[in-house]
């Protein structure tokens, strides 16, 4: 068995199943992620990675099994409840508001995690605007605050999405292909930013990624999925020389 990072278990998934009609998308997934761990989930297209992230984020409800965040059972919770419990996620397909400005997108994420909305004084409004601007600075979009999102580049949009999920102040971050569709340099810049913020905020990270260089750069531990199951698990160096994993990728 691969050595596990020390620290309390943040996320435990046991025998998780999800069917779409007769199709079995998750076929008894077990996963255990420790606090502060950076875990990559990889596997061929159709392996069930996005379905797993959707169940963890509350966008889908698992048919059976359990998902625990610490000691809390997350099965059958809604996305907004997951968010309140500290789970933040991004989507494989961009999920910003295209007709709104960069600033207003970030403001909307900020508002989602706040409890002040029922009493909004002028002083508080000013403070919120400052907070939104500093959140935009972290993701290097402060100078684009007034631009409409549909006019900014794909890479900037992916960075905005990451910033928006950070603004909800998660403890567990779920990223589904955060670098999809980006150029090589942009991919590395985004993942460096993710690693910086994850470390600084002591977050637990579970991310799905196709770019194997990014996986090896960012992950401490890798879960390989195939046909809705966990096919292999281990440290990057163990997965790199795993015969079966090489066959899945070469074959698929
Ligand atoms: P991955 O992210 O690993 O590429 P997915 O989790 O998106 O895979 O999909 C796993 C399988 O489940 C695929 O065969 C996909 O076609 C199927 N699937 C995913 N979502 C649905 C859905 N809403 N309805 C029917 N089938 C689905
Ligand atoms: Mg996917």
């Amino acid at each position: 068995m691969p050595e596990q990072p020390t620290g309390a278990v943040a996320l435990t998934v046991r025998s998780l199943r999800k069917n779409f009609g007769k199709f079995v998308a998750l076929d008894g997934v077990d996963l255990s992620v420790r606090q502060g761990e950076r875990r990559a989930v990889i596997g061929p297209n159709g392996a069930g990675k996005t379905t797993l992230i959707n169940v963890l984020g509350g966008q889908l409800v698992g048919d059976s099994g359990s998902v625990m965040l610490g000691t809390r059972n997350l099965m059958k919770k809604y996305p907004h409840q997951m968010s309140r419990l500290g789970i933040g996620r991004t989507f494989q397909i961009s999920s910003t508001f295209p007709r709104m400005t960069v600033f207003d997108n970030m403001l909307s994420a900020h508002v989602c995690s706040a409890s002040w909305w029922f009493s909004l004084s002028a002083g508080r409004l000013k403070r919120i605007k400052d907070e939104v601007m500093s959140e935009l600075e972290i993701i290097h979009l402060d100078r684009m605050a007034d631009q409409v999102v549909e006019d900014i580049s794909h890479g900037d949009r992916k960075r905005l999405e990451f910033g928006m999920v950070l603004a909800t102040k998660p403890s567990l971050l779920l990223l589904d292909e955060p670098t999809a569709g980006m150029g090589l340099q942009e991919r590395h810049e985004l993942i460096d930013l993710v690693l910086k913020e994850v470390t600084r905020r002591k977050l637990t990270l579970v991310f799905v990624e196709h770019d194997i260089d990014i996986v090896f750069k960012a992950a401490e531990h890798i879960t390989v999925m195939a046909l809705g199951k966990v096919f292999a698990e281990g440290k990057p160096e163990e997965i790199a020389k795993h015969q079966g994993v090489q066959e899945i990728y070469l074959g698929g």
Side-chain angles (χ1 to χ4, degrees), residues 10-14 16 55-56 58 61-62 64-78 81-82 85 87:
L11 176 72
T12 314
V13 177
R14 289 283 168 261
L16 182 62
V55 175
L56 300 180
V61 178
S64 60
S66 66
V67 177
M68 307 285 290
L69 184 70
T71 55
R72 268 175 200 268
N73 191 342
L74 297 187
M75 285 288 273
K76 301 193 167 57
K77 293 235 185 289
Y78 291 103
Q81 295 173 304
M82 299 293 211
L85 290 170
I87 298 184

Side-chain angles (χ1 to χ4, degrees), residues 158-214:
K158 295 295 271 186
R159 223 165 48 247
L160 174 59
E161 233 173 291
F162 173 61
M164 285 168 69
V165 71
L166 280 184
T168 66
K169 301 192 171 50
S171 60
L172 169 65
L173 198 52
L174 307 169
L175 306 180
D176 193 2
E177 300 202 24
T179 71
M182 296 174 101
L184 183 66
Q185 190 184 336
E186 261 185 340
R187 278 207 290 273
H188 281 271
E189 281 167 7
L190 178 66
I191 215 69
D192 289 345
L193 182 65
V194 169
L195 290 177
K196 185 175 160 199
E197 292 305 315
V198 161
T199 307
R200 190 161 77 86
R201 297 165 195 241
K202 299 187 171 62
L203 308 182
T204 306
L205 174 67
V206 176
F207 69 106
V208 175
E209 180 58 56
H210 270 301
D211 182 329
I212 212 72
D213 290 336
I214 298 278

Side-chain angles (χ1 to χ4, degrees), residues 30-248:
D30 291 305
L31 193 70
S32 179
V33 181
R34 295 193 177 262
Q35 265 172 27
E37 187 182 330
R38 302 191 306 268
R39 172 72 60 101
V41 179
I42 67 171
N45 277 335
K49 306 178 298 294
T50 294
T51 305
L52 174 64
I53 298 286
N54 281 339
V55 175
L56 300 180
Q59 284 75 30
L60 287 174
V61 178
D63 294 329
S64 60
S66 66
V67 177
M68 307 285 290
L69 184 70
T71 55
R72 268 175 200 268
N73 191 342
L74 297 187
M75 285 288 273
K76 301 193 167 57
K77 293 235 185 289
Y78 291 103
H80 70 278
Q81 295 173 304
M82 299 293 211
S83 178
R84 293 264 175 214
L85 290 170
I87 298 184
R89 73 159 296 184
T90 64
F91 292 82
Q92 193 170 346
I93 297 165
S94 254
S95 57
T96 46
F97 300 106
R99 299 273 170 94
M100 281 163 51
T101 62
V102 167
F103 182 91
D104 286 345
N105 265 270
M106 185 60 100
L107 179 63
S108 73
H110 197 87
V111 169
C112 286
S113 65
S115 52
W116 41 255
W117 48 268
F118 47 86
S119 67
L120 205 51
S121 64
R124 192 166 274 167
L125 196 57
K126 161 89 176 69
R127 206 164 60 238
I128 291 161
K129 284 184 175 168
D130 290 346
E131 281 170 16
V132 168
M133 281 314 288
S134 58
E135 280 158 349
L136 288 176
E137 246 171 72
I138 291 170
I139 53 168
H140 316 303
L141 286 180
D142 46 315
R143 278 189 276 173
M144 293 190 186
D146 293 333
Q147 290 200 33
V148 175
V149 166
E150 65 186 358
D151 293 340
I152 69 175
S153 72
H154 175 73
D156 289 338
R157 235 176 2 246
K158 295 295 271 186
R159 223 165 48 247
L160 174 59
E161 233 173 291
F162 173 61
M164 285 168 69
V165 71
L166 280 184
T168 66
K169 301 192 171 50
S171 60
L172 169 65
L173 198 52
L174 307 169
L175 306 180
D176 193 2
E177 300 202 24
T179 71
M182 296 174 101
L184 183 66
Q185 190 184 336
E186 261 185 340
R187 278 207 290 273
H188 281 271
E189 281 167 7
L190 178 66
I191 215 69
D192 289 345
L193 182 65
V194 169
L195 290 177
K196 185 175 160 199
E197 292 305 315
V198 161
T199 307
R200 190 161 77 86
R201 297 165 195 241
K202 299 187 171 62
L203 308 182
T204 306
L205 174 67
V206 176
F207 69 106
V208 175
E209 180 58 56
H210 270 301
D211 182 329
I212 212 72
D213 290 336
I214 298 278
V215 169
F216 280 87
K217 180 178 194 172
E220 293 166 322
H221 229 78
I222 300 175
T223 297
V224 186
M225 287 185 70
L227 301 172
K229 291 185 196 308
V230 173
F231 177 79
E233 204 171 281
K235 290 181 178 176
E237 59 271 26
E238 292 165 332
I239 295 301
K241 58 183 186 220
H242 191 293
Q243 180 94 33
V245 172
Q246 288 175 5
E247 279 164 15
I248 287 185

